[in-house]
């Protein structure tokens, strides 16, 4: 079974500060991992994803995430926050085995990022 | 380039009424999904479809039905709405498999009084 835990439902940072959003996953098979962002009154859009290969993944808007198998983590970071980064962020895991979970993503509960001027 | 379009965007229902949410995608995707989003709960999968004419249950299917008669459309129905179904509903589509990206609509906000 697959599941995702996002530590901290709300994170606040000052503009220019480091952004760190935490995600831990549980998966019985090698995971594919995703971060999605949701701006107010909009649907979700893909920020970045890890499938195979390089464990440090770069996404849009300066975000990146590192897959750490030993820690079952996929934390999202950005060196310098911008006001426009204020949004809700969702971590998700997908199964790589065939069966009833084919084609499904499992989402965490989300982390609301607030950026102070 | 419309992507994923949901209609209606807002709806208020009384308990016991029925309604249908329509999702249309123009990307020729095989997979389509209906999620609901509630505060502090993230996104929970209601039903999904891996191709035209197929549907499958997700995590929270009770009280909902779906149909995928055409590849580009995925309908979500509430036969007898309940206040617990007050939520924001999102449709998504994708090429399938485990590495693919999902494309989301802008959401449909449903209130059941």
């Amino acid at each position: 079974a697959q599941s995702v835990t996002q530590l901290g439902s709300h994170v606040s940072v000052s503009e220019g500060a480091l952004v760190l959003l935490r995600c831990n996953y549980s998966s019985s098979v090698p995971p594919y991992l995703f971060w999605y962002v949701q701006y107010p009154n909009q649907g979700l859009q893909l920020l970045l994803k890890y499938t195979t290969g390089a464990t440090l993944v770069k996404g849009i808007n300066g975000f990146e995430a590192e897959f750490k198998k030993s820690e079952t983590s996929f934390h999202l970071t950005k060196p310098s926050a911008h006001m426009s980064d204020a949004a809700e962020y969702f971590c998700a895991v997908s199964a790589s085995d065939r069966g009833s979970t084919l084609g499904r993503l499992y989402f965490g509960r989300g982390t609301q990022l607030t950026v102070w001027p | 380039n419309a992507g994923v379009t949901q209609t209606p965007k807002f709806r208020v229902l009384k308990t016991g009424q029925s309604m249908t949410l329509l999702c249309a995608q123009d990307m020729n995707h095989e997979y389509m999904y209906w999620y609901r989003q509630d505060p502090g709960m993230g996104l929970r999968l209601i039903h999904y479809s891996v191709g035209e004419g197929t549907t499958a249950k997700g995590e929270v299917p009770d009280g909902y039905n779906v149909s995928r008669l055409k590849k580009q459309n995925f309908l979500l129905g509430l036969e007898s709405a309940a206040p617990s179904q007050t939520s924001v509903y999102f449709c998504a589509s994708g090429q399938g498999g485990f590495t693919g990206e999902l494309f989301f609509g802008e959401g449909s906000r449903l209130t059941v009084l």
Side-chain angles (χ1 to χ4, degrees):
Chain A
Q2 282 66 237
S3 66
V4 172
T5 302
Q6 292 184 239
L7 297 176
S9 58
H10 291 85
V11 170
S12 296
V13 299
S14 298
E15 193 172 22
L18 171 71
V19 175
L20 171 60
L21 305 182
R22 299 178 186 273
C23 172
N24 288 88
Y25 69 90
S26 172
S27 178
S28 57
V29 294
Y32 296 145
L33 297 159
F34 304 78
W35 276 99
Y36 280 81
V37 60
Q38 184 182 31
Y39 298 103
N41 299 313
Q42 294 186 24
L44 280 70
Q45 60 185 83
L46 184 67
L47 202 56
L48 51 80
K49 66 180 180 182
Y50 167 80
T51 54
T52 58
T55 56
L56 182 62
V57 180
K58 296 186 183 300
I60 60 173
N61 301 334
F63 284 92
E64 61 183 35
E66 186 170 12
F67 168 58
K68 292 187 176 180
K69 184 178 179 180
S70 61
E71 298 178 7
T72 61
S73 69
F74 191 56
H75 301 330
L76 181 70
T77 61
K78 182 174 181 178
S80 177
H82 191 273
M83 296 291 288
S84 61
D85 295 327
E88 189 157 21
Y89 293 79
F90 293 92
C91 184
V93 63
S94 177
S96 61
D97 58 329
R98 293 190 176 276
S100 62
T101 57
L102 181 68
R104 289 177 57 172
L105 282 181
Y106 296 84
F107 286 90
R109 296 192 173 192
T111 298
Q112 182 68 46
L113 176 66
T114 300
V115 182
W116 300 101
Chain B
N1 189 8
V4 178
T5 303
Q6 295 181 226
T7 53
K9 289 185 169 46
F10 301 93
R11 184 74 186 269
V12 178
L13 289 177
K14 294 181 179 179
T15 297
Q17 288 185 318
S18 63
M19 75 159 295
T20 300
L21 297 176
L22 170 64
C23 177
Q25 53 97 2
D26 62 2
M27 296 171 282
N28 201 36
H29 286 160
E30 290 293 336
Y31 288 65
M32 296 188 74
Y33 310 79
W34 276 108
Y35 289 90
R36 61 177 289 173
Q37 183 179 30
D38 303 291
M41 299 297 291
L43 276 81
R44 292 181 291 171
L45 184 63
I46 305 172
H47 286 280
Y48 65 106
S49 168
V50 300
E52 181 179 319
T54 73
T55 62
K57 294 180 180 180
E59 302 169 66
V60 289
D62 293 343
Y64 305 95
N65 57 75
V66 289
S67 64
R68 182 102 180 266
L69 299 180
K70 294 183 177 180
K71 185 177 183 178
Q72 64 268 34
N73 296 337
F74 195 29
L75 279 64
L76 177 71
L78 285 71
E79 291 186 346
S80 179
S84 61
Q85 294 177 304
T86 294
S87 187
V88 181
Y89 292 86
F90 287 96
C91 177
S93 72
Q95 287 288 22
F98 307 103
T99 63
E101 173 182 355
L102 290 190
F103 294 82
F104 283 81
E106 293 189 342
S108 297
R109 184 176 296 275
L110 174 65
T111 301
V112 183
L113 302 176

